[in-house]
Amino acid sequence: MISRSADWKHALATAVRDPADLLAELTLPDHLLDGARAAAGEFPLRVPRDFLARMRQGDPDDPLLRQVLPCAEEDLEVPGFVADPVDDMRARRGPGVLQKYRGRALLVVTGACAVHCRYCFRRHFPYGAENAAQLGFGAALAWLAEAADISEVILSGGDPLMLDDERLADLIRQLSQIPHLKRLRVHTRVPIVLPGRVTDGLLAALTGTRLPCVMVVHANHAREIDNAVAGALQRMHRAGITLLNQAVLLAGVNDDVQVLAALSEALFAAEVLPYYLHMLDPVQGAAHFAVDDGRALALLDGLRGVLPGYLVPRLVREIPGADAKMPLTAVEKPD
Ligand SMILES: *Cc1c(COP(=O)(O)O)cnc(C)c1O
Ligand code: SF4
């Protein structure tokens, strides 16, 4: 396994960014290229070769590919699918700080990600203006120091593990000096798409603090968790990090009971418990990933029928203005 910082930075630098390269690498037909190029103009393609290597050759419907390949459907205007579906701008508390829920504040530490997920609810987020790393963390830390009711800080983005070990360790050191903070949470997809990022330096940064660390990773399909990923997750678990997963329910990727059950099993084998299964946020360009409520609830019922309760994720939706992520419940049918 790669574990030095030079290696993961090299892996990032050599990620596939040209749709033509992605199609060629996977021996996919050329007719996908025009749509991919057009959509990539809006939100660029980015996929590390490590993740690409887990996709099937010649299969345009591969569930991993579908998450990252720009396509013509992204250009469709669909009513209800908007630029900021979760009303992040209203939750802004300071430069790079969002608060929606009691006791928890989210820090947008960087706009960068190791992979670009086509369904991302932040695909239109104005990172230039809302990126604590770019501004320096001073103002965000000052806000947190004043916010005595915040007990948990969530490093998010973009992807916080795009920061190097020194910057992360420095940020975490400063957070640990804020007395009312009790927990550090990290929301990241990096250990899934680039397991080599889990270096000794990263483990030291995350565990060398008084703040217990909860990491919420993001995998949507069991095939994302190969041996290298499982190894990286197991190392973090052994280092004392609590590991959870959030997935997004995505048409053509994981909208199937067997697929979701296999994901939970693969996560558990890698020391990760399923946390949330999110309904797709209605972000412009992602309507082709939507699964309707009725099907989502039926899938959840199916999962309950085959898995122990602790491997069934909470099916939730973000409702702008609500005081928590809301569980999906059966719609009352009139008699
Ligand atoms: C989702 C989210 C959280 C975390 O919510 P939990 O239910 O605690 O996982 C915190 N802050 C913001 C702004 C969020 O969007
Ligand atoms: S890694 Fe997360 S924030 Fe980055 S594009 Fe994917 S879903 Fe969005």
Side-chain angles (χ1 to χ4, degrees), residues 81-157:
F81 284 75
V82 299
D84 178 10
V86 295
D87 214 359
D88 269 346
M89 293 329 281
R90 208 177 55 173
R92 188 184 182 279
R93 294 289 177 274
V97 184
L98 303 178
Q99 189 195 358
K100 292 180 179 170
Y101 309 135
R102 179 168 294 186
R104 289 148 286 170
L106 188 149
L107 218 55
V108 179
V109 299
T110 170
C113 290
V115 65
H116 286 175
C117 314
R118 307 314 298 177
Y119 53 84
C120 180
F121 71 99
R122 292 213 176 102
R123 55 180 285 167
H124 307 286
F125 193 77
Y127 282 117
E130 287 302 327
N131 177 338
Q134 210 159 298
L135 298 159
F137 296 115
L141 288 162
W143 183 87
L144 282 167
E146 290 299 311
D149 59 327
I150 300 293
S151 55
E152 178 166 333
V153 61
I154 302 174
L155 305 186
S156 181

Side-chain angles (χ1 to χ4, degrees), residues 39-191:
E42 294 276 310
F43 178 49
L45 165 74
R46 182 186 273 207
V47 52
R49 286 175 191 277
D50 198 306
F51 194 66
L52 178 86
R54 295 170 231 163
M55 298 174 191
R56 281 188 294 255
Q57 285 288 319
D59 180 3
D61 298 322
D62 179 273
L64 277 57
L65 175 69
R66 192 168 157 80
Q67 296 178 53
V68 301
L69 176 66
C71 69
E73 287 142 298
E74 293 178 37
D75 289 335
L76 299 175
E77 292 280 334
V78 179
F81 284 75
V82 299
D84 178 10
V86 295
D87 214 359
D88 269 346
M89 293 329 281
R90 208 177 55 173
R92 188 184 182 279
R93 294 289 177 274
V97 184
L98 303 178
Q99 189 195 358
K100 292 180 179 170
Y101 309 135
R102 179 168 294 186
R104 289 148 286 170
L106 188 149
L107 218 55
V108 179
V109 299
T110 170
C113 290
V115 65
H116 286 175
C117 314
R118 307 314 298 177
Y119 53 84
C120 180
F121 71 99
R122 292 213 176 102
R123 55 180 285 167
H124 307 286
F125 193 77
Y127 282 117
E130 287 302 327
N131 177 338
Q134 210 159 298
L135 298 159
F137 296 115
L141 288 162
W143 183 87
L144 282 167
E146 290 299 311
D149 59 327
I150 300 293
S151 55
E152 178 166 333
V153 61
I154 302 174
L155 305 186
S156 181
D159 200 306
L161 296 194
M162 295 294 277
L163 263 59
D164 62 23
D165 297 341
E166 293 72 36
R167 284 211 79 192
L168 264 178
D170 187 51
L171 173 61
I172 292 169
R173 197 174 313 114
Q174 296 190 64
L175 289 168
S176 71
Q177 284 161 9
I178 299 177
H180 49 266
L181 290 182
K182 292 191 191 132
R183 281 182 302 278
L184 171 70
R185 202 197 305 188
V186 180
H187 280 186
T188 175
R189 187 145 160 77
V190 162

Side-chain angles (χ1 to χ4, degrees), residues 83-326:
D84 178 10
V86 295
D87 214 359
D88 269 346
M89 293 329 281
R90 208 177 55 173
R92 188 184 182 279
R93 294 289 177 274
V97 184
L98 303 178
Q99 189 195 358
K100 292 180 179 170
Y101 309 135
R102 179 168 294 186
R104 289 148 286 170
L106 188 149
L107 218 55
V108 179
V109 299
T110 170
C113 290
V115 65
H116 286 175
C117 314
R118 307 314 298 177
Y119 53 84
C120 180
F121 71 99
R122 292 213 176 102
R123 55 180 285 167
H124 307 286
F125 193 77
Y127 282 117
E130 287 302 327
N131 177 338
Q134 210 159 298
L135 298 159
F137 296 115
L141 288 162
W143 183 87
L144 282 167
E146 290 299 311
D149 59 327
I150 300 293
S151 55
E152 178 166 333
V153 61
I154 302 174
L155 305 186
S156 181
D159 200 306
L161 296 194
M162 295 294 277
L163 263 59
D164 62 23
D165 297 341
E166 293 72 36
R167 284 211 79 192
L168 264 178
D170 187 51
L171 173 61
I172 292 169
R173 197 174 313 114
Q174 296 190 64
L175 289 168
S176 71
Q177 284 161 9
I178 299 177
H180 49 266
L181 290 182
K182 292 191 191 132
R183 281 182 302 278
L184 171 70
R185 202 197 305 188
V186 180
H187 280 186
T188 175
R189 187 145 160 77
V190 162
I192 305 298
V193 297
L194 209 68
R197 174 67 189 91
V198 182
T199 57
D200 292 344
L202 178 68
L203 291 177
L206 296 176
T207 59
T209 160
R210 71 172 180 88
L211 300 169
C213 180
V214 178
M215 180 181 283
V216 184
V217 296
H218 170 185
N220 299 312
H221 192 286
R223 287 220 341 265
E224 293 173 43
I225 303 167
D226 66 3
N227 289 338
V229 172
L233 294 167
Q234 285 155 354
R235 285 179 70 212
M236 290 195 284
H237 170 76
R238 282 198 300 272
I241 298 170
T242 298
L243 293 172
L244 304 171
N245 183 65
Q246 51 186 342
V248 183
L249 184 57
L250 298 166
V253 174
N254 59 10
D255 56 338
D256 176 277
V257 173
Q258 296 313 318
V259 168
L260 289 169
L263 173 61
S264 281
E265 296 281 2
L267 288 166
F268 184 76
E271 309 284 3
V272 184
L273 287 175
Y275 179 38
Y276 282 145
L277 177 60
H278 292 273
M279 293 298 285
L280 180 75
D281 294 314
V283 66
Q284 191 185 319
H288 56 290
F289 286 113
V291 175
D292 70 42
D293 289 14
R295 271 212 64 226
L297 286 164
L299 289 166
L300 191 71
D301 267 349
L303 266 188
R304 284 204 197 93
V306 296
L307 288 175
Y310 58 87
L311 291 186
V312 179
R314 302 159 177 83
L315 178 65
V316 293
R317 156 182 292 135
E318 179 158 350
I319 297 175
D323 60 7
K325 303 275 191 282
M326 299 309 277

